Amino acid sequence: MNIRQIQEARELYGIDDWGAGYFGINDEGHVVSHPTGEEHLSVSLPEVIAKLKHQGIHTPLILRFPQIIECQLERMHSAFRQAIGEFNFKGKHVGVFPFKVNQRREFIDAVVSCGQRLDYGLEVGSKTEFVAALSYPLTANSLLICNGFKDREFIDMAFLGAAMGKRVIVVVEGPDELATFIELAKDQPVVPQVGLRVRLYSKGAGKWEKSSGDSSKFGLTTTEVLNCLSMLEEANFKDRLAMLHFHIGSQITEIKRFKNAIKEASRVYAKVVKMGYSPQFLNIGGGVGVDYDGSKTSFLSSANYTMQEFANDAVYVLGDVCANEGVPYPTIVTESGRVIAAYHSVVVTDIREVQGEELLPIEADLPEYTQGEVHKSIKELKYILDNINRKNYVEFYHDAIEYQEELFTLFNLGYLNMQDRAYAEDLFRRVCRRALYFSSFQRHQLEEFEDLQKALVSKYLANFSMFQSIPDSWAIDQLFPVMPLSRHDEKPSHKATIVDITCDSDGCLDTFVDRADVKTALDLHVPNNQPYYIGFFLVGAYQESLANEHNLFGAIHEAEIYINADGDWELTKVTKGDPIDELLESRNYDLKEMVGCYELQFDRAITGGILSAEQAKLGLERLTKFMRSYPYLIDR
Ligand SMILES: Cc1ncc(COP(=O)(O)O)c(C=O)c1O
C-alpha cells in the first residue's frame, strides 16, 4: 500500500473534485464508486470488471449505477426543499426528466421507479419519446410535458394521454400548434393542459447559448404569447393554461445567466397572471451544469455554482417577483437532464496496444547500421545525435529537420533504400526526444517544442469507439474525466493520448480535464502483462442518445450494479451489446440472403477443388457464428 502515491493519483486525476462523492480511489489503488453517495459503501470497479469477465462479458462496456440517479433526483429535490423553506416560498417544486438526455430503457426505468416518491415526471420532445413515456406508471401528480415541434398526430396523442389519466401538458412552440390543439379539443372527452414556451431576451452561456435569446429557434415572441392568450380566451380555454416555460440551453456555466433568465420569466409569469390567467407552473427548463473538470469555474466543462445555489437563486428570485407583483406563487418545474444523468454511468475499456516514442528509454542503444557505406546526410544526423546538448539543442534540432527533409527527397529520387530510410527515421526521432529533454529545463518552453511534445506522446489504443461511447468529445470537444481503474499505488510514467479502434483519425482523444487548465496528454502506466482498464466518467447524459455506429461499432455491453446497506454489491442486470448481425440488419442487410451468397461461394470453392465439402461446411458454420459475435476486439 503506497498511501502517498495514491493521494498523488487522486490529485493528478482530480477524482475528488469531479466525482461529486460518487467516485474515488481506495487504499489498494483501485477506482471505486460510492453509488449512494456514502463514502463507506463502495464498489471496486476492477472487481466488477473481473466478475463480468468471468461471466463472459468483456470490455468495452458500460457500468450503470441506478442508485446514483436516485441520489441525483434526491439532491435536486432536497436543494429546492431547503431553498423553499429558507426563503419562505409559498409554492412547490417538481421535477421532470427530459427523455432525450438518455432514452435507454434501463435508464428511464430507473428514473421512473426512483422518482415515484418525489412525483418525478417526464419531458418528451418527439412522438417516439412520447409513445415510450405513455407506457410508464407515473404517479397522479407527476407531469408529462410535451415539448418540441408538434404535428396534428402528436397533439392528438396528447389528448389520448390525458384520457389515459396522465397529467399531460402540451407546451406550445408556435401559434399554429395551439390552433390545431383548439380544433382537436372540440371532439375530445378529456383536454390536456397547455403550456407556452416563452422566448426570453436573457441568454444562456456556454456551448448551447443559441438555445436562448431573441434569435433562438425556440419559443414564442411576446406578440405570439399575446396571440396565444387571446386564442385560449376565445376558445373558452383560459383555464387550460397551466404552464409558462423557458429553457436557456444546456450546461449553463455561469449562475448569473440563470438568475437573469428567471428574473425575466418571473415577470412574464406575473404579467400573464395579472391578465386574468392562472398558470400553476413556471417551468425553468434544464441547463444545470456538470462540473466535468472539477474546477468549479465558468469554463465550458464546468459550472461556477452548485445545485443548491441554483435552487436558492431560482426560489429567491421568483419569490421576490411574486411578492412584489402580488401574484400567487407557482410550482417551480425543473427539466434538468444532464446533471441528473451524467454521473450514473462509466464506460470502461481496455488498452490494446501502445504506440509511440515515450516507451523507448532516452539512452536506448541505437541499432547498428548494417548496409555498407552510410549516406553523408545520415552521418550528419548521427553527429547531431551524438553532440546535441543543453546549449545547442535548438540549433541542432533545426539542422536535424533540414537533414531529415533532405533524406526524404533523396529517398523519393531513388537514392536511398528502405534500410537507409529506417535508420534515418530512428536517428531523427532520437534527436527529437533529446531536444525535448533539453528543452524541458527551460522555464518558458518554445512553442515548437510544445508542439513536438504533443507529437511525441505515446498513443494508447483503446478498445472502443469514441463515436459510439463518447460522441460529444468528437462532435463538440466535450471533456470527460478519463483515468485508469487501477495501479494508483504506482506512479504513471507516461504521457499519452488515447486513440480508438475506428478507422477514423478523428477517433483520438487528446484533451483531458484538469483543475487549472486543459491537459494535452493523460498520465498513464506502461501496460504490464495484465489487462489495463481505463474508465470514461460522467458519460450518462446525452452520450447514449447521440451515439452513432461509425464503422458499425454498436452499443456496448452494459451492467447494472446495486449496493446494499451492508456494503455487498451485486450485478442486477447484464445486457449484451449489439452483435454484428443486428448491426447489419439495421442497415437493411438481409441475413438470409447474405448466408445464401456465402453458401454459393463455398460451393464454388468445393467445385474448384479449393476446399473439401467438410471444410466448406465448417467454414460456413464459423462465418455464421462470427456474424452473431461482438464487433469490438475480444478481450485477451
Ligand atoms: C426543452 C429542454 N428541456 C430540458 C433540457 C435538458 O437540459 P439539461 O440536460 O442541460 O439539463 C433540454 C436540453 O437542452 C431542453 O431542450
Side-chain angles (χ1 to χ4, degrees):
M1 191 163 38
N2 183 347
I3 293 294
R4 219 166 111 201
Q5 179 51 45
I6 290 172
Q7 189 49 34
E8 263 181 40
R10 288 184 184 118
E11 279 159 30
L12 178 66
Y13 298 104
I15 190 165
D16 295 341
D17 298 318
W18 52 255
Y22 296 126
F23 298 100
I25 303 178
N26 69 11
D27 288 347
E28 286 169 71
H30 293 169
V31 173
V32 293
S33 171
H34 309 293
T36 60
E38 296 162 290
E39 207 182 335
H40 68 285
L41 299 180
S42 56
V43 180
S44 152
L45 302 198
E47 278 177 31
V48 176
I49 304 299
K51 190 162 179 176
L52 284 164
K53 196 171 168 179
H54 195 66
Q55 297 181 12
I57 301 293
H58 300 270
T59 49
L61 47 85
I62 294 186
L63 301 181
R64 260 184 227 292
F65 297 95
Q67 286 162 299
I68 295 183
I69 305 171
E70 185 170 7
C71 276
Q72 285 298 92
L73 293 176
E74 181 55 52
R75 282 184 188 180
M76 177 65 87
H77 189 75
S78 64
F80 272 92
R81 207 168 43 218
Q82 188 172 322
I84 284 170
E86 184 175 339
F87 299 110
N88 198 18
F89 185 83
K90 297 181 190 71
K92 289 192 259 176
H93 161 257
V94 290
V96 291
F97 183 81
F99 226 88
K100 71 172 167 192
V101 179
N102 193 325
Q103 304 115 334
R104 291 289 284 181
R105 185 189 161 176
E106 293 74 4
F107 179 84
I108 299 287
D109 282 358
V111 168
V112 172
S113 69
C114 306
Q116 293 222 330
R117 205 165 39 83
L118 308 171
D119 287 331
Y120 228 87
L122 292 170
E123 181 264 5
V124 296
S126 71
K127 290 187 268 190
T128 319
E129 291 177 357
F130 188 47
V131 169
L134 281 175
S135 69
Y136 279 100
L138 298 179
T139 63
N141 290 325
S142 305
L143 303 179
L144 177 44
I145 297 178
C146 299
N147 278 331
F149 297 101
K150 293 171 241 9
D151 60 5
R152 208 178 172 81
E153 202 177 51
F154 194 166
I155 297 170
D156 193 26
M157 288 198 308
F159 281 85
L160 279 179
M164 286 156 69
K166 294 274 191 290
R167 188 143 189 213
V168 178
I169 300 184
V170 179
V171 176
V172 169
E173 295 271 358
D176 287 358
E177 282 180 14
L178 186 57
T180 310
F181 179 94
I182 291 170
E183 194 197 322
L184 284 171
K186 286 183 197 129
D187 314 318
Q188 304 283 342
V190 186
V191 178
Q193 291 180 302
V194 174
L196 299 180
R197 179 157 180 178
V198 179
R199 191 178 303 182
L200 300 181
Y201 293 121
S202 311
K203 280 191 167 194
K207 288 193 202 290
W208 288 272
E209 199 172 309
K210 283 202 304 256
S211 307
S212 52
D214 55 2
S215 58
S216 157
K217 77 174 195 186
F218 304 110
L220 304 162
T221 61
T222 312
T223 310
E224 286 171 331
V225 169
L226 293 174
N227 283 346
C228 286
L229 293 176
S230 308
M231 286 165 78
L232 284 169
E233 184 169 10
E234 270 167 39
N236 241 340
F237 275 155
K238 262 180 103 170
D239 66 334
R240 291 286 84 197
L241 181 70
M243 176 179 283
L244 293 179
H245 174 241
F246 73 89
H247 168 73
I248 55 168
S250 197
Q251 186 65 14
I252 303 296
T253 55
E254 298 172 37
I255 187 74
K256 74 167 187 277
R257 306 291 181 134
F258 267 127
K259 267 198 221 173
N260 292 344
I262 295 169
K263 206 178 279 173
E264 187 184 342
S266 304
R267 286 287 168 197
V268 174
Y269 161 79
K271 302 298 176 198
V272 169
V273 171
K274 287 186 161 175
M275 288 171 72
Y277 294 81
S278 45
Q280 307 104 275
F281 301 103
L282 181 65
N283 183 341
I284 64 174
V288 175
V290 168
D291 192 7
Y292 291 98
D293 67 4
S295 67
K296 300 186 174 44
T297 61
S298 59
F299 178 59
L300 290 179
S301 296
S302 186
N304 71 359
Y305 55 92
T306 61
M307 214 188 251
Q308 189 62 58
E309 280 174 66
F310 161 71
N312 287 352
D313 283 346
V315 167
Y316 177 79
V317 170
L318 176 57
D320 192 45
V321 172
C322 289
N324 185 276
E325 296 264 6
V327 294
Y329 289 53
T331 293
I332 301 175
V333 180
T334 51
E335 278 179 0
S336 277
R338 182 184 295 275
V339 79
I340 300 296
Y343 295 93
H344 93 283
S345 69
V346 184
V347 166
V348 178
T349 191
D350 54 300
I351 295 298
R352 284 284 156 160
E353 196 180 293
V354 179
Q355 311 158 348
E357 309 304 323
E358 268 219 59
L359 293 185
L360 195 68
I362 200 154
E363 296 306 339
D365 287 343
L366 185 66
E368 280 293 307
Y369 183 76
T370 53
Q371 293 291 308
E373 184 56 16
V374 183
H375 191 279
K376 191 170 114 316
S377 298
I378 298 184
K379 279 190 191 151
E380 296 290 356
L381 267 184
K382 176 79 168 67
Y383 174 83
I384 289 175
L385 179 65
D386 292 340
N387 294 283
I388 189 167
N389 61 36
R390 246 170 112 159
K391 286 189 183 152
N392 66 18
Y393 76 91
V394 179
E395 185 194 342
F396 271 37
Y397 171 62
H398 291 161
D399 290 348
I401 293 177
E402 257 179 53
Y403 286 121
Q404 165 78 349
E405 281 166 3
E406 195 178 304
L407 286 161
F408 175 67
T409 311
L410 287 169
F411 178 79
N412 282 350
L413 292 173
Y415 292 111
L416 298 181
N417 61 27
M418 288 297 276
Q419 281 74 17
D420 295 329
R421 183 179 153 115
Y423 192 58
E425 275 174 12
D426 194 356
L427 284 169
F428 182 67
R429 277 205 293 262
R430 285 166 193 262
V431 170
C432 292
R433 293 180 62 246
R434 286 211 184 150
L436 254 190
Y437 170 73
F438 294 125
S439 90
S440 67
F441 294 100
Q442 301 298 320
R443 205 153 359 126
H444 301 292
Q445 232 187 26
L446 296 174
E447 207 178 313
E448 63 183 320
F449 289 101
E450 282 177 8
D451 292 344
L452 184 61
Q453 173 79 66
K454 279 185 211 161
L456 287 191
V457 294
S458 308
K459 290 186 179 61
Y460 277 50
L461 180 73
N463 182 18
F464 85 132
S465 157
M466 271 175 60
F467 306 89
Q468 167 65 217
S469 295
I470 44 168
D472 273 350
S473 69
W474 159 70
I476 52 165
D477 296 327
Q478 166 78 54
L479 291 180
F480 296 101
V482 187
M483 63 186 289
L485 296 190
S486 54
R487 294 176 63 186
H488 291 299
D489 49 353
E490 266 177 65
K491 199 173 181 61
S493 54
H494 280 78
K495 300 252 179 251
T497 54
I498 290 175
V499 291
D500 73 5
I501 58 168
T502 63
C503 301
D504 194 320
S505 53
D506 276 356
C508 170
L509 206 59
D510 55 9
T511 40
F512 302 93
V513 302
D514 184 59
R515 220 173 315 154
D517 198 351
V518 172
K519 283 186 194 158
T520 52
L522 186 66
D523 294 85
L524 291 173
H525 306 89
V526 178
N528 47 25
N529 48 11
Q530 297 298 316
Y532 189 58
Y533 295 111
I534 53 170
F536 298 81
F537 293 80
L538 278 49
V539 294
Y542 296 103
Q543 302 318 289
E544 288 172 84
S545 34
L546 295 174
N548 69 63
E549 290 163 354
H550 193 12
N551 259 175
L552 290 184
F553 286 112
I556 57 180
H557 300 321
E558 47 185 272
E560 229 174 59
I561 300 119
Y562 267 88
I563 193 161
N564 68 20
D566 298 328
D568 301 321
W569 59 265
E570 58 174 330
L571 294 170
T572 44
K573 187 168 182 191
V574 176
T575 312
K576 287 210 162 187
D578 295 339
I580 291 172
D581 54 0
E582 282 179 20
L583 288 160
L584 290 173
E585 274 178 322
S586 76
R587 295 300 189 278
N588 296 343
Y589 284 88
D590 182 323
L591 297 178
K592 269 200 194 137
E593 218 176 81
M594 287 172 70
V595 172
C597 292
Y598 300 152
E599 276 168 351
L600 217 74
Q601 291 167 78
F602 276 113
D603 284 347
R604 273 197 218 122
I606 298 170
T607 327
I610 300 167
L611 295 178
S612 69
E614 181 60 18
Q615 283 170 328
K617 182 173 161 273
L618 289 175
L620 187 62
E621 271 169 23
R622 262 170 51 212
L623 193 53
T624 43
K625 185 170 167 218
F626 180 64
M627 280 175 95
R628 293 189 295 272
S629 70
Y630 199 32
Y632 293 90
L633 308 180
I634 308 290
D635 211 359
R636 280 182 277 235

